Amino acid sequence: MAIFSRTFRSGLLLGLLAALIVAAAAFIGLDRYDTQTLKRTVKRGAVNCGVNAGLPGFANKDANGNWSGFDVDICRAVAAAVFDDPAKVNFIPLDANQRFKELQNRTVDILSRNSTWSMSREVDYDLTFAAVSYYDGEGFMLRRSRNVDSALELGGTRVCVQSDTTTQLNLADYFKVNNITYDEMKFGNVGDMMKAYEAGKCDVLTTDTSQLYALRQNLAKPDDHVILADIISKEPLAPVVRQRDDQWMLIVKWAVYAMLNAEELGVTSKNIDEALKSKKPDVMRLVGTDGNYGERLGLTNDWAARIIRHVGNYGEMYERNVGLGSKLGIPRGLNQLWNAGGIQYAPPIR
């Protein structure tokens, strides 16, 4: 009987120990995979948004501390959908080496920082790129006085590139495939890279073409520098969220898609009140007067109307920040809607 009692107690102890191990593993899993971003964001009263520390047209802070830019507006769109207030965003500047780790660590809820969607980034960091907000590609900028028309003419040059980026990998691939020799001048951050380029320590600067347009504005004489037409890579830029939080991922994804659908349907920040009276089925689904699509996301049914009213549709956001009417003057190109010669395309709301 005593032997049985000891055996029973030992088995019970082992069972409890196993249960504790399972519970600990579950806790670690929950801690790693955040599934409460919306709940925590609402409780905080603001979206924590990771952005570039300073990239004109995409994320830039003025002397009064006001942020503006294409990537900034994406976070404002999410805040508009959640709070009906695009100002309820805390912008947190992050450099390229910090961005994914800080998203993992929950310092930010969204990373909206000219980041290229790639398989390794999703797999290695347990992150999800919600939706392509900007189709880009790596390019080259150099002094106009060099009279170079093609990237194939860059043999023997010193090329400035930011280290630990897809840009650096693309650069190596391009020159290897085309049997072109070059001297790589790598830098840990954009600021040091730009200083080296301005000082003439390298002949060419390479990064995403959108970033080249932005960086050129910071040069003493922007017109003295030319951006080549050559595009050497695919760089789909997208806002990023943590994996395993499908609700938050869907909110960020559909915030981008709502702006694209609004542009396609002709719904703008100026005519949103008229759109709310529309009897067209696709417009009614977009603005929330038909169906309960917003409630399915955990939001109000007028979530998309909030975005359009406060931030605008995709075309308004693009032109205001980086389009031909802005200081950057970047043509829509691939970022034109699919029915206007581009490849921007949003799934329907239905």
Side-chain angles (χ1 to χ4, degrees), residues 3-19:
I3 293 174
F4 174 78
S5 180
R6 286 197 300 272
T7 302
F8 176 77
R9 286 198 299 271
S10 297
L12 183 62
L13 183 62
L14 288 172
L16 288 171
L17 183 60

Side-chain angles (χ1 to χ4, degrees), residues 217-235:
Q217 295 302 309
N218 293 331
L219 296 172
K221 296 181 178 180
D223 291 340
D224 288 352
H225 305 264
V226 62
I227 297 170
L228 298 180
D230 304 73
I231 302 296
I232 69 168
S233 70
K234 295 186 296 183
E235 305 295 333

Side-chain angles (χ1 to χ4, degrees), residues 88 134 159 165 219 224 235 279 299 310 339:
K88 289 190 174 182
Y134 191 100
V159 183
T165 60
L219 296 172
D224 288 352
E235 305 295 333
K279 298 302 179 183
L299 305 174
H310 294 300
N339 56 5

Side-chain angles (χ1 to χ4, degrees), residues 41 86 111 119 129 165 194 197 217 224 265 282-283 321 324 338:
T41 298
L111 179 66
M119 178 179 176
F129 287 74
T165 60
M194 284 300 294
Y197 176 74
Q217 295 302 309
D224 288 352
L265 294 171
D282 46 6
V283 174
N321 293 299
L324 296 177
W338 67 281

Side-chain angles (χ1 to χ4, degrees), residues 29 32-36 126 128 242-247:
R32 181 181 180 189
Y33 297 122
D34 181 15
T35 60
Q36 297 293 320
D126 297 313
T128 295
R242 289 176 290 276
Q243 287 183 8
R244 307 300 194 275
D245 193 342
D246 291 345
Q247 182 187 32

Side-chain angles (χ1 to χ4, degrees), residues 129-144:
F129 287 74
V132 177
S133 57
Y134 191 100
Y135 287 98
D136 208 348
E138 185 173 340
F140 299 94
M141 180 170 69
L142 67 163
R143 288 167 178 79
R144 192 179 298 275

Side-chain angles (χ1 to χ4, degrees), residues 95-323:
D95 65 31
N97 296 324
Q98 294 175 302
R99 52 184 168 171
F100 300 121
K101 293 177 182 177
E102 292 305 312
L103 179 58
Q104 281 182 310
N105 294 337
R106 303 183 195 171
T107 303
V108 296
D109 305 313
I110 308 169
L111 179 66
S112 185
R113 187 201 177 284
N114 58 303
S115 299
T116 299
W117 186 345
S118 71
M119 178 179 176
S120 61
R121 285 176 171 173
E122 288 198 316
V123 172
D124 294 346
Y125 293 102
D126 297 313
L127 303 175
T128 295
F129 287 74
V132 177
S133 57
Y134 191 100
Y135 287 98
D136 208 348
E138 185 173 340
F140 299 94
M141 180 170 69
L142 67 163
R143 288 167 178 79
R144 192 179 298 275
S145 60
R146 293 184 63 87
N147 293 318
V148 171
D149 297 319
S150 168
L152 296 174
E153 301 173 35
L154 297 178
T157 57
R158 299 167 298 169
V159 183
C160 274
V161 64
Q162 189 172 3
S163 58
D164 300 319
T165 60
T166 55
T167 305
Q168 185 181 19
L169 301 176
N170 295 332
L171 175 68
D173 288 348
Y174 179 78
F175 278 82
K176 181 179 180 180
V177 167
N178 289 288
N179 295 314
I180 303 173
T181 60
Y182 72 106
D183 292 323
E184 181 185 78
M185 309 285 288
K186 59 183 180 180
F187 300 88
N189 59 69
V190 174
D192 290 340
M193 181 175 70
M194 284 300 294
K195 288 177 183 176
Y197 176 74
E198 288 187 275
K201 294 181 180 179
C202 49
D203 310 303
V204 182
L205 183 70
T206 186
T207 187
D208 294 347
T209 302
S210 62
Q211 190 169 17
L212 290 177
Y213 275 94
L215 294 174
R216 185 168 64 172
Q217 295 302 309
N218 293 331
L219 296 172
K221 296 181 178 180
D223 291 340
D224 288 352
H225 305 264
V226 62
I227 297 170
L228 298 180
D230 304 73
I231 302 296
I232 69 168
S233 70
K234 295 186 296 183
E235 305 295 333
L237 308 183
V240 197
V241 296
R242 289 176 290 276
Q243 287 183 8
R244 307 300 194 275
D245 193 342
D246 291 345
Q247 182 187 32
W248 187 247
M249 181 271 292
L250 287 171
I251 289 171
V252 175
K253 173 193 289 187
W254 282 99
V256 175
Y257 287 159
M259 289 189 283
L260 282 166
N261 276 316
E263 183 182 10
E264 183 175 340
L265 294 171
V267 181
T268 72
S269 59
K270 295 180 177 61
N271 66 18
I272 183 62
D273 288 331
E274 292 302 314
L276 287 166
K277 302 172 187 176
S278 175
K279 298 302 179 183
K280 295 180 179 179
D282 46 6
V283 174
M284 293 175 68
R285 289 191 292 268
L286 172 69
V287 300
T289 53
D290 179 39
N292 62 341
Y293 301 100
E295 290 179 358
R296 296 182 194 180
L297 289 173
L299 305 174
T300 58
N301 284 330
D302 66 342
W303 64 282
R306 293 176 171 188
I307 293 173
I308 300 160
R309 182 183 303 281
H310 294 300
V311 182
N313 66 31
Y314 183 88
E316 290 178 285
M317 179 177 69
Y318 188 99
E319 291 305 320
R320 175 172 64 244
N321 293 299
V322 300

